[in-house]
Amino acid sequence: MDKENNSLKEQLPPHLSEHIVDQNYDKYTAEKHAIWRYTLQQAKLFLTHNAHQSYLQGLEDTGISTQYIPKVSDIDKKLQSFGWRACCIRGFIPPLIFLEFQSRNILPIATDIRNLEHIDYTPAPDIIHEAAGHAPMLVNKEFRDYLNLYAQLSRKAIYSKQDNQIYQAIRALSDMKENPDYSVKDIANAEKKLDHATENINWISEANELSRLYWWTAEYGMIG
């Protein structure tokens, strides 16, 4: 267990600490670093002219380089000066667990990185999205206060059985799309299950409504 991860795990209740994993930095191949480098360089060309200044400043303040995959422990050290932490997780974690991490000022970062086939967009959480996408904005006080308040409120929201079914279907589908062991037929069946879960929503829960707020702000970056 990484030293920083182990220290953070000891401070958290078991239902949170069990989701923290090691980054295993040496597992990243030259191809994976090239995927990071290409994606970040292309994004920076666009974002330099289109992103909010807070994001560009955040890239610098969190020490995230365009040249190599960052160590989450390094991001964690940078974020501590802003009152936040970062930890390693793998893939999708349950929404309430994700929210509780954020309500404690901890940013969960998925340590996997997308395949070459999904270089423009990955169906599963990965370190490009989590680290380069979300960590930089935490240097902005208004944004991190908003994110913490959102998490505090969302943890109290009412969830439905359908919300959980959709989460499970999305998680299964995203895992399949990033795993070459699954066939086209397997993926098609998983897509049908997700369509079925979506079609069977018979009421919009508080959690569902709040999730839309998160998607259009923190997730898709609509700020001003």
Side-chain angles (χ1 to χ4, degrees):
M1 176 63 66
D2 294 338
K3 183 179 179 180
E4 293 79 4
N5 264 348
N6 192 47
S7 174
L8 185 57
K9 285 189 72 168
E10 292 174 352
Q11 301 171 34
L12 296 173
H15 70 279
L16 292 181
S17 63
E18 67 181 19
H19 292 281
I20 296 179
V21 300
D22 279 339
Q23 185 174 12
N24 295 321
Y25 192 83
D26 292 340
K27 75 178 181 180
Y28 298 122
T29 62
E31 179 181 279
K32 295 298 187 182
H33 281 284
I35 288 171
W36 171 276
R37 190 162 53 249
Y38 171 81
T39 305
L40 265 289
Q41 287 175 347
Q42 293 299 309
K44 197 167 185 180
L45 284 173
F46 176 81
L47 295 172
T48 297
H49 303 288
N50 295 278
H52 192 278
Q53 183 57 39
S54 294
Y55 176 80
L56 300 173
Q57 185 64 45
L59 276 178
E60 183 177 337
D61 291 348
T62 52
I64 295 176
S65 170
T66 60
Q67 298 302 308
Y68 52 84
I69 299 169
K71 291 185 177 180
V72 174
S73 58
D74 290 340
I75 296 174
D76 178 51
K77 291 174 185 175
K78 295 286 187 179
L79 288 180
Q80 285 184 50
S81 63
F82 300 100
W84 275 66
R85 301 291 304 270
C87 68
C88 301
I89 59 164
R90 182 164 291 116
F92 277 110
I93 57 176
L96 283 175
I97 296 296
F98 181 82
L99 289 168
E100 186 166 352
F101 271 119
Q102 290 202 337
S103 72
R104 294 170 180 263
N105 291 0
I106 301 170
L107 176 67
I109 296 178
T111 58
D112 292 328
I113 186 167
R114 64 196 63 186
N115 295 321
L116 188 59
E117 294 79 8
H118 297 139
I119 194 167
D120 291 329
Y121 177 79
T122 175
D126 83 328
I127 194 167
I128 294 177
H129 177 89
E130 308 285 356
H134 290 305
M137 285 304 301
L138 290 174
V139 306
N140 181 292
K141 185 178 186 304
E142 286 181 284
F143 184 84
R144 62 178 182 265
D145 287 350
Y146 160 73
L147 206 60
N148 178 272
L149 178 60
Y150 171 86
Q152 298 281 1
L153 295 174
S154 295
R155 287 180 59 204
K156 302 174 183 178
I158 296 173
Y159 282 73
S160 70
K161 179 180 179 180
Q162 289 89 348
D163 290 336
N164 184 59
Q165 290 172 339
I166 289 176
Y167 158 71
Q168 296 293 346
I170 290 174
R171 179 176 182 174
L173 178 58
S174 68
D175 288 345
M176 286 184 183
K177 285 186 174 181
E178 282 293 298
N179 190 332
D181 294 335
Y182 288 99
S183 66
V184 173
K185 184 178 179 180
D186 291 330
I187 293 173
N189 287 334
E191 288 174 338
K192 287 180 181 178
K193 288 182 179 179
L194 176 56
D195 289 341
H196 179 74
T198 304
E199 291 166 359
N200 279 285
I201 295 177
N202 52 27
W203 68 285
I204 305 299
S205 67
E206 291 178 352
N208 194 316
E209 291 181 328
L210 280 167
S211 71
R212 297 175 185 181
L213 176 64
Y214 185 87
W215 278 100
W216 287 111
T217 52
E219 197 64 34
Y220 281 109
M222 292 188 69
I223 61 173

mmCIF file of all heavy atoms in Angstrom, residues 136-160:
data_model
loop_
_atom_site.group_PDB
_atom_site.id
_atom_site.type_symbol
_atom_site.label_atom_id
_atom_site.label_comp_id
_atom_site.label_asym_id
_atom_site.label_seq_id
_atom_site.Cartn_x
_atom_site.Cartn_y
_atom_site.Cartn_z
ATOM 1 N N PRO A 136 -7.751 20.085 -11.147
ATOM 2 C CA PRO A 136 -7.354 21.493 -11.301
ATOM 3 C C PRO A 136 -8.377 22.499 -10.783
ATOM 4 O O PRO A 136 -8.000 23.562 -10.267
ATOM 5 C CB PRO A 136 -7.157 21.636 -12.820
ATOM 6 C CG PRO A 136 -6.775 20.266 -13.269
ATOM 7 C CD PRO A 136 -7.617 19.358 -12.434
ATOM 8 N N MET A 137 -9.668 22.186 -10.903
ATOM 9 C CA MET A 137 -10.686 23.149 -10.487
ATOM 10 C C MET A 137 -10.750 23.320 -8.970
ATOM 11 O O MET A 137 -11.313 24.296 -8.471
ATOM 12 C CB MET A 137 -12.054 22.733 -11.021
ATOM 13 C CG MET A 137 -12.245 22.980 -12.504
ATOM 14 S SD MET A 137 -11.970 24.715 -12.958
ATOM 15 C CE MET A 137 -13.190 25.546 -11.949
ATOM 16 N N LEU A 138 -10.145 22.394 -8.240
ATOM 17 C CA LEU A 138 -10.206 22.483 -6.779
ATOM 18 C C LEU A 138 -9.330 23.601 -6.216
ATOM 19 O O LEU A 138 -9.410 23.903 -5.022
ATOM 20 C CB LEU A 138 -9.812 21.141 -6.155
ATOM 21 C CG LEU A 138 -10.829 20.014 -6.369
ATOM 22 C CD1 LEU A 138 -10.285 18.696 -5.836
ATOM 23 C CD2 LEU A 138 -12.156 20.347 -5.689
ATOM 24 N N VAL A 139 -8.518 24.218 -7.045
ATOM 25 C CA VAL A 139 -7.729 25.351 -6.554
ATOM 26 C C VAL A 139 -8.602 26.604 -6.429
ATOM 27 O O VAL A 139 -8.205 27.571 -5.773
ATOM 28 C CB VAL A 139 -6.515 25.644 -7.462
ATOM 29 C CG1 VAL A 139 -5.670 24.398 -7.660
ATOM 30 C CG2 VAL A 139 -6.942 26.212 -8.805
ATOM 31 N N ASN A 140 -9.778 26.565 -7.053
ATOM 32 C CA ASN A 140 -10.709 27.692 -6.982
ATOM 33 C C ASN A 140 -11.601 27.524 -5.749
ATOM 34 O O ASN A 140 -12.345 26.553 -5.651
ATOM 35 C CB ASN A 140 -11.553 27.749 -8.256
ATOM 36 C CG ASN A 140 -12.517 28.925 -8.257
ATOM 37 O OD1 ASN A 140 -13.456 28.968 -7.474
ATOM 38 N ND2 ASN A 140 -12.292 29.874 -9.150
ATOM 39 N N LYS A 141 -11.526 28.452 -4.812
ATOM 40 C CA LYS A 141 -12.250 28.306 -3.544
ATOM 41 C C LYS A 141 -13.761 28.213 -3.741
ATOM 42 O O LYS A 141 -14.430 27.400 -3.096
ATOM 43 C CB LYS A 141 -11.932 29.467 -2.601
ATOM 44 C CG LYS A 141 -12.557 29.295 -1.212
ATOM 45 C CD LYS A 141 -12.197 30.433 -0.286
ATOM 46 C CE LYS A 141 -12.719 30.158 1.125
ATOM 47 N NZ LYS A 141 -14.173 29.911 1.169
ATOM 48 N N GLU A 142 -14.314 29.064 -4.605
ATOM 49 C CA GLU A 142 -15.758 29.023 -4.844
ATOM 50 C C GLU A 142 -16.187 27.657 -5.362
ATOM 51 O O GLU A 142 -17.218 27.115 -4.946
ATOM 52 C CB GLU A 142 -16.157 30.097 -5.851
ATOM 53 C CG GLU A 142 -16.136 31.497 -5.295
ATOM 54 C CD GLU A 142 -16.574 32.512 -6.346
ATOM 55 O OE1 GLU A 142 -15.762 32.813 -7.232
ATOM 56 O OE2 GLU A 142 -17.727 32.967 -6.270
ATOM 57 N N PHE A 143 -15.388 27.094 -6.245
ATOM 58 C CA PHE A 143 -15.749 25.808 -6.828
ATOM 59 C C PHE A 143 -15.650 24.681 -5.799
ATOM 60 O O PHE A 143 -16.545 23.849 -5.693
ATOM 61 C CB PHE A 143 -14.855 25.488 -8.028
ATOM 62 C CG PHE A 143 -15.247 24.213 -8.719
ATOM 63 C CD1 PHE A 143 -16.256 24.197 -9.668
ATOM 64 C CD2 PHE A 143 -14.617 23.006 -8.409
ATOM 65 C CE1 PHE A 143 -16.637 23.018 -10.294
ATOM 66 C CE2 PHE A 143 -14.988 21.826 -9.028
ATOM 67 C CZ PHE A 143 -16.000 21.831 -9.973
ATOM 68 N N ARG A 144 -14.562 24.656 -5.043
ATOM 69 C CA ARG A 144 -14.419 23.558 -4.079
ATOM 70 C C ARG A 144 -15.442 23.664 -2.953
ATOM 71 O O ARG A 144 -15.909 22.648 -2.428
ATOM 72 C CB ARG A 144 -12.997 23.451 -3.554
ATOM 73 C CG ARG A 144 -12.442 24.613 -2.789
ATOM 74 C CD ARG A 144 -11.021 24.287 -2.303
ATOM 75 N NE ARG A 144 -10.447 25.360 -1.525
ATOM 76 C CZ ARG A 144 -9.662 26.317 -2.011
ATOM 77 N NH1 ARG A 144 -9.357 26.318 -3.298
ATOM 78 N NH2 ARG A 144 -9.177 27.249 -1.220
ATOM 79 N N ASP A 145 -15.820 24.889 -2.575
ATOM 80 C CA ASP A 145 -16.882 25.056 -1.578
ATOM 81 C C ASP A 145 -18.217 24.560 -2.130
ATOM 82 O O ASP A 145 -19.003 23.925 -1.424
ATOM 83 C CB ASP A 145 -17.008 26.523 -1.165
ATOM 84 C CG ASP A 145 -15.858 26.982 -0.286
ATOM 85 O OD1 ASP A 145 -15.070 26.121 0.158
ATOM 86 O OD2 ASP A 145 -15.744 28.199 -0.051
ATOM 87 N N TYR A 146 -18.467 24.867 -3.410
ATOM 88 C CA TYR A 146 -19.688 24.390 -4.071
ATOM 89 C C TYR A 146 -19.713 22.865 -4.105
ATOM 90 O O TYR A 146 -20.731 22.237 -3.794
ATOM 91 C CB TYR A 146 -19.764 24.949 -5.490
ATOM 92 C CG TYR A 146 -20.682 24.162 -6.408
ATOM 93 C CD1 TYR A 146 -22.067 24.230 -6.270
ATOM 94 C CD2 TYR A 146 -20.155 23.330 -7.395
ATOM 95 C CE1 TYR A 146 -22.901 23.500 -7.109
ATOM 96 C CE2 TYR A 146 -20.988 22.601 -8.226
ATOM 97 C CZ TYR A 146 -22.355 22.688 -8.083
ATOM 98 O OH TYR A 146 -23.176 21.953 -8.901
ATOM 99 N N LEU A 147 -18.577 22.263 -4.459
ATOM 100 C CA LEU A 147 -18.518 20.813 -4.575
ATOM 101 C C LEU A 147 -18.757 20.138 -3.229
ATOM 102 O O LEU A 147 -19.484 19.142 -3.136
ATOM 103 C CB LEU A 147 -17.140 20.411 -5.123
ATOM 104 C CG LEU A 147 -17.057 19.082 -5.872
ATOM 105 C CD1 LEU A 147 -17.978 19.084 -7.079
ATOM 106 C CD2 LEU A 147 -15.619 18.812 -6.296
ATOM 107 N N ASN A 148 -18.188 20.700 -2.178
ATOM 108 C CA ASN A 148 -18.387 20.141 -0.848
ATOM 109 C C ASN A 148 -19.831 20.281 -0.406
ATOM 110 O O ASN A 148 -20.435 19.337 0.129
ATOM 111 C CB ASN A 148 -17.457 20.822 0.152
ATOM 112 C CG ASN A 148 -17.653 20.316 1.567
ATOM 113 O OD1 ASN A 148 -18.481 20.825 2.322
ATOM 114 N ND2 ASN A 148 -16.900 19.291 1.935
ATOM 115 N N LEU A 149 -20.436 21.455 -0.622
ATOM 116 C CA LEU A 149 -21.831 21.676 -0.251
ATOM 117 C C LEU A 149 -22.749 20.758 -1.040
ATOM 118 O O LEU A 149 -23.693 20.179 -0.480
ATOM 119 C CB LEU A 149 -22.215 23.136 -0.498
ATOM 120 C CG LEU A 149 -23.674 23.509 -0.207
ATOM 121 C CD1 LEU A 149 -24.013 23.243 1.259
ATOM 122 C CD2 LEU A 149 -23.937 24.975 -0.569
ATOM 123 N N TYR A 150 -22.476 20.607 -2.333
ATOM 124 C CA TYR A 150 -23.274 19.708 -3.160
ATOM 125 C C TYR A 150 -23.240 18.294 -2.590
ATOM 126 O O TYR A 150 -24.277 17.620 -2.484
ATOM 127 C CB TYR A 150 -22.749 19.705 -4.598
ATOM 128 C CG TYR A 150 -23.396 18.632 -5.442
ATOM 129 C CD1 TYR A 150 -24.610 18.867 -6.086
ATOM 130 C CD2 TYR A 150 -22.831 17.371 -5.554
ATOM 131 C CE1 TYR A 150 -25.233 17.874 -6.826
ATOM 132 C CE2 TYR A 150 -23.440 16.370 -6.287
ATOM 133 C CZ TYR A 150 -24.633 16.627 -6.922
ATOM 134 O OH TYR A 150 -25.252 15.634 -7.644
ATOM 135 N N ALA A 151 -22.044 17.832 -2.223
ATOM 136 C CA ALA A 151 -21.911 16.474 -1.687
ATOM 137 C C ALA A 151 -22.654 16.324 -0.366
ATOM 138 O O ALA A 151 -23.317 15.307 -0.125
ATOM 139 C CB ALA A 151 -20.430 16.134 -1.515
ATOM 140 N N GLN A 152 -22.561 17.335 0.489
ATOM 141 C CA GLN A 152 -23.252 17.283 1.782
ATOM 142 C C GLN A 152 -24.758 17.142 1.578
ATOM 143 O O GLN A 152 -25.428 16.338 2.252
ATOM 144 C CB GLN A 152 -22.953 18.556 2.588
ATOM 145 C CG GLN A 152 -21.493 18.756 2.946
ATOM 146 C CD GLN A 152 -21.044 17.915 4.132
ATOM 147 O OE1 GLN A 152 -21.824 17.151 4.700
ATOM 148 N NE2 GLN A 152 -19.782 18.032 4.497
ATOM 149 N N LEU A 153 -25.317 17.916 0.654
ATOM 150 C CA LEU A 153 -26.765 17.883 0.409
ATOM 151 C C LEU A 153 -27.184 16.590 -0.285
ATOM 152 O O LEU A 153 -28.207 16.001 0.050
ATOM 153 C CB LEU A 153 -27.171 19.091 -0.442
ATOM 154 C CG LEU A 153 -26.993 20.463 0.203
ATOM 155 C CD1 LEU A 153 -27.304 21.568 -0.793
ATOM 156 C CD2 LEU A 153 -27.881 20.599 1.433
ATOM 157 N N SER A 154 -26.401 16.153 -1.254
ATOM 158 C CA SER A 154 -26.772 14.976 -2.042
ATOM 159 C C SER A 154 -26.770 13.699 -1.212
ATOM 160 O O SER A 154 -27.530 12.774 -1.494
ATOM 161 C CB SER A 154 -25.823 14.826 -3.234
ATOM 162 O OG SER A 154 -25.970 15.908 -4.129
ATOM 163 N N ARG A 155 -25.935 13.651 -0.196
ATOM 164 C CA ARG A 155 -25.904 12.466 0.666
ATOM 165 C C ARG A 155 -27.231 12.284 1.413
ATOM 166 O O ARG A 155 -27.555 11.180 1.854
ATOM 167 C CB ARG A 155 -24.764 12.583 1.684
ATOM 168 C CG ARG A 155 -23.374 12.397 1.091
ATOM 169 C CD ARG A 155 -22.321 12.525 2.169
ATOM 170 N NE ARG A 155 -22.530 11.531 3.222
ATOM 171 C CZ ARG A 155 -22.099 11.665 4.465
ATOM 172 N NH1 ARG A 155 -21.474 12.757 4.836
ATOM 173 N NH2 ARG A 155 -22.309 10.709 5.354
ATOM 174 N N LYS A 156 -27.991 13.379 1.548
ATOM 175 C CA LYS A 156 -29.269 13.312 2.263
ATOM 176 C C LYS A 156 -30.446 13.102 1.313
ATOM 177 O O LYS A 156 -31.589 12.980 1.753
ATOM 178 C CB LYS A 156 -29.485 14.601 3.065
ATOM 179 C CG LYS A 156 -28.378 14.892 4.071
ATOM 180 C CD LYS A 156 -28.569 16.256 4.726
ATOM 181 C CE LYS A 156 -27.422 16.582 5.665
ATOM 182 N NZ LYS A 156 -27.567 17.927 6.280
ATOM 183 N N ALA A 157 -30.174 13.082 0.007
ATOM 184 C CA ALA A 157 -31.253 12.965 -0.978
ATOM 185 C C ALA A 157 -31.835 11.554 -0.987
ATOM 186 O O ALA A 157 -31.165 10.573 -0.654
ATOM 187 C CB ALA A 157 -30.719 13.309 -2.369
ATOM 188 N N ILE A 158 -33.090 11.469 -1.384
ATOM 189 C CA ILE A 158 -33.786 10.185 -1.475
ATOM 190 C C ILE A 158 -33.428 9.511 -2.796
ATOM 191 O O ILE A 158 -33.537 10.114 -3.867
ATOM 192 C CB ILE A 158 -35.308 10.380 -1.373
ATOM 193 C CG1 ILE A 158 -35.664 10.949 0.009
ATOM 194 C CG2 ILE A 158 -36.045 9.066 -1.628
ATOM 195 C CD1 ILE A 158 -37.122 11.322 0.146
ATOM 196 N N TYR A 159 -32.984 8.268 -2.715
ATOM 197 C CA TYR A 159 -32.666 7.470 -3.897
ATOM 198 C C TYR A 159 -33.778 6.474 -4.157
ATOM 199 O O TYR A 159 -34.511 6.080 -3.242
ATOM 200 C CB TYR A 159 -31.349 6.707 -3.697
ATOM 201 C CG TYR A 159 -30.110 7.539 -3.880
ATOM 202 C CD1 TYR A 159 -29.733 8.478 -2.919
ATOM 203 C CD2 TYR A 159 -29.316 7.407 -5.012
ATOM 204 C CE1 TYR A 159 -28.606 9.258 -3.081
ATOM 205 C CE2 TYR A 159 -28.184 8.183 -5.185
ATOM 206 C CZ TYR A 159 -27.825 9.103 -4.216
ATOM 207 O OH TYR A 159 -26.711 9.871 -4.390
ATOM 208 N N SER A 160 -33.901 6.038 -5.396
ATOM 209 C CA SER A 160 -34.895 5.029 -5.745
ATOM 210 C C SER A 160 -34.201 3.719 -6.122
ATOM 211 O O SER A 160 -32.990 3.693 -6.389
ATOM 212 C CB SER A 160 -35.740 5.505 -6.939
ATOM 213 O OG SER A 160 -34.964 5.510 -8.126
#
